[in-house]
Amino acid sequence: MSYEVEIGRGKRGRRAYSLDDIAVVPSRRTRDPELMSVSWQIDAYQFAMPVISAPMDSVVSPETAVAIGRLGGLGVLDLEGLWTRHEDPEPLLDEISELRGGTRAEVAEATRRLQRAYSAPIDPELVAQRLKQVRDAGVVVAGALSPQRTAQLWKTVVDAGVDLFVIRGTTVSAEHVAAAGAEAPLNLKQFIYELEVPVVVGGAASYTAALHLMRTGAAGVLVGFGGGAAHTTRGALGIHAPMATAIADVAAARRDYLDESGGRYVHVIADGGMGLSGDVVKAVACGADAVMLGAALARATEAPGRGWHWGPEAHHGDLPRGQRVHVGTVGSLEEILLGPGTTPDGTTNLIGALRRAMATTGYSDLKEFQRVEVVVSPYQPT
């Protein structure tokens, strides 16, 4: 049953919930955390943890993609980022990390500097080189492009030996209408059908949008829209999708598509708004198979952002819808993902927290944990 509230005489809206609005409820059975399985498999690729890095330059370099892969997750390179525009982006990353960001003028200057840094053209040779660097390390190779760049660069990416292809935008639809005279939009269904590697696509934030993306043949759907720490989409565009409701809606689309397709399972990957271990727990509880983390991993000492975090929306040439935010550093990638935890606020040992939450509620694997009871219990995180 879906409840709507009256906004005014001429408009009604459905009540939606963020991850902060819900909580997981313990059950009558508990288990030892060591007995919990947090492994995850998509297509032919098995991972020790359900963690994917957000393809952001503040989070992932070729080196950190390899490190995340060796820890049991999946590192996804931003193939439109600094690493594919500049032979050596390290001096630029140093400069970006040293920019001030307190006043409105300082934020504006940081945005202009980001725009200049990302104005350099993408070099297909660098795209292939960065992917090869990850492949040579022996981990699963994943790269992300926006829908606008996919038609231009997909062959370079596939030829470089990518294992998983990610098409990621603020929002991605299966039915994009282009202006008259504009280049024809990417035909997702045809593209995915003809591609020989599995594709993860998103973001989507509603049942209908996700169902249409699943029908294109995608292996996974990213769930989220403007909810990350570096986004200002709600303020800039007035668009926002509370994550708990969005994940649950897309999980319902997964269930219905499973019946419609005769058994084809599409993975639901929560993307955005999960900076703490408790957020990861609640995302899985709402139906996510895996989580795509940005700010949580940007806090690592190895992260290219040097304690700062930003996404592609922050350097948009016409309408920036994100900003560079200071997230600080709390530990190494291993400490953040696997522990031992050194902070009591949910920023370290994310997988340890997930295991303990599963053990406390009596569920032994991720699919089982998606059935856990949740309650609406809004609170303000400290």
Side-chain angles (χ1 to χ4, degrees), residues 303-345:
R306 283 85 159 147
W308 291 87
H309 181 47
W310 66 92
E313 301 82 9
H315 54 79
H316 192 280
D318 297 321
L319 182 62
R321 302 182 299 282
Q323 60 185 354
R324 190 187 59 123
V325 295
H326 189 255
V327 295
T329 55
V330 296
S332 67
L333 278 170
E334 183 172 5
E335 289 170 334
I336 288 173
L337 289 171
L338 300 174
T342 55
T343 58
D345 57 2

Side-chain angles (χ1 to χ4, degrees), residues 95-140:
E95 182 182 343
I96 291 169
S97 69
E98 292 167 2
L99 293 170
R100 299 174 64 88
T103 67
R104 185 182 295 270
E106 289 169 346
V107 170
E109 175 54 34
T111 298
R112 285 191 290 269
R113 186 65 192 94
L114 284 171
Q115 289 171 328
R116 291 196 300 271
Y118 284 88
S119 65
I122 298 171
D123 184 345
E125 290 187 6
L126 286 176
V127 171
Q129 180 181 324
R130 305 309 186 195
L131 291 171
K132 182 179 183 301
Q133 185 176 344
V134 179
R135 172 164 289 285
D136 288 347
V139 299
V140 177

